[in-house]
Amino acid sequence: MSGDADGEVGPDQLDDNLSVAILRLDELVRTLREQCPWDREQTHMSLRRYLLEETYETLEALDARAGVEAGGGADVEDLDQHLCEELGDLLYQVWFQAHLASERGAFDIAEVAQQVRRKLVARHPHVFGDVEASDADAVRGMWDAIKLEEKGRDSVMDGIPSTLPALLSAVKVQKRAATAGLLAGDSAEGEFGETEQALAELRADRSEHSFGELLLAAVELGRRLKVDPEDALRSATERAQRHYRALEQADG
């Protein structure tokens, strides 16, 4: 489908392009499910590993693009194409899961889209209603409060998946506690003292419990410094890898 005279795609054409792409993807999922022996064998659980793999590959593509963009690299367009590809692979996994649900008469991809739209509208009253939100922290607090009411939960700690990696789980717990006003103060200086205290306890009691307390204190310190501990640890690990590679080459 061609664009208008100056090469731009108009709103109507954009809608048509989106509709055609969505319909073709849906048709592909159905065709593969019916005609491909591998696709016919799949279940929600068998596809779980592929959903996880595609998620990690998408994150890797995002990290690669961010790194090149920050360094002023010229091949960011190639990485955009790679990101587009990985997002497509991830989208296919979501679509496949929804199609399996439709075979059971549970829901289909249209209901998935409708449900997330309704949820996002309800959780953004500062956009779609008359509520004021001055900054991102206010939005996060409002989001958690609305979610708590929607789910009928008794605690802000409810609903944190037990399957989250330990570091991400710690970040989520600390953020929710802070949003709910369960943490005293919000300065980094106070948390430096907590981290030092946890380190002193670890020196006296070299146990898993004490080491866990130190890690938790470090996560909270990162939150107060506005440093994502996952990103910080990944960057530190990459620096360590480069350092060890350099040592290997020196020894060789």
Side-chain angles (χ1 to χ4, degrees):
M1 185 174 294
S2 60
D4 57 21
D6 56 3
E8 295 293 325
V9 176
D12 292 340
Q13 291 171 305
L14 182 62
D15 289 343
D16 288 343
N17 286 340
L18 180 61
S19 299
V20 170
I22 287 173
L23 289 173
R24 285 180 175 172
L25 178 57
D26 189 61
E27 181 182 8
L28 175 66
V29 172
R30 293 173 184 274
T31 300
L32 292 177
R33 179 65 169 168
E34 293 171 1
Q35 300 181 22
C36 175
W38 185 88
D39 285 72
R40 283 200 300 266
E41 291 180 357
Q42 301 314 305
T43 65
H44 286 298
M45 290 305 295
S46 71
L47 289 172
R48 185 179 184 276
R49 57 170 292 190
Y50 301 106
L51 178 60
L52 186 60
E53 286 176 8
E54 297 301 349
T55 299
Y56 279 118
E57 288 179 9
T58 301
L59 291 174
E60 186 177 44
L62 285 168
D63 289 344
R65 187 191 181 284
V68 170
E69 189 175 43
D75 56 348
V76 68
E77 290 187 6
D78 292 338
L79 290 174
D80 276 336
Q81 288 303 310
H82 179 53
L83 176 59
C84 180
E85 178 186 352
E86 295 300 342
L87 286 171
D89 292 342
L90 184 58
L91 176 61
Y92 179 77
Q93 290 300 318
V94 172
W95 214 288
F96 202 161
Q97 290 281 357
H99 183 72
L100 294 182
S102 72
E103 291 178 345
R104 296 184 285 105
F107 57 83
D108 59 17
I109 192 66
E111 290 174 80
V112 171
Q114 290 164 358
Q115 187 171 102
V116 71
R117 183 186 182 280
R118 285 194 297 268
K119 178 167 65 177
L120 290 173
V121 169
R123 293 185 187 177
H124 288 77
H126 55 291
V127 176
F128 301 104
D130 55 3
V131 175
E132 296 291 331
S134 57
D135 53 31
D137 287 338
V139 172
R140 280 191 290 268
M142 188 161 44
W143 176 283
D144 287 340
I146 294 172
K147 189 173 181 179
L148 199 66
E149 184 177 352
E150 283 178 355
K151 304 291 185 179
R153 292 170 177 165
D154 298 322
S155 168
V156 293
M157 296 294 116
D158 291 344
I160 298 177
S162 60
T163 52
L164 285 177
L167 186 56
L168 181 56
S169 180
V171 172
K172 206 166 189 66
V173 166
Q174 298 287 17
K175 283 184 176 180
R176 288 200 183 183
T179 301
L182 301 176
L183 294 176
D186 199 31
S187 68
E189 295 306 316
E191 198 54 39
F192 274 114
E194 294 289 335
T195 306
E196 290 169 357
Q197 180 181 347
L199 181 58
E201 291 176 0
L202 179 61
R203 287 195 180 99
D205 174 23
R206 301 186 179 192
S207 65
E208 178 184 298
H209 173 84
S210 296
F211 185 63
E213 292 298 313
L214 175 62
L215 290 176
L216 193 62
V219 168
E220 174 58 10
L221 176 59
R223 187 191 69 79
R224 297 192 185 210
L225 291 171
K226 300 189 183 303
V227 173
D228 185 286
E230 182 76 25
D231 292 340
L233 181 57
R234 182 183 294 109
S235 297
T237 302
E238 290 172 354
R239 289 194 298 273
Q241 284 182 317
R242 290 194 295 271
H243 173 67
Y244 297 138
R245 289 181 191 276
L247 291 179
E248 286 178 330
Q249 292 174 356
D251 292 340

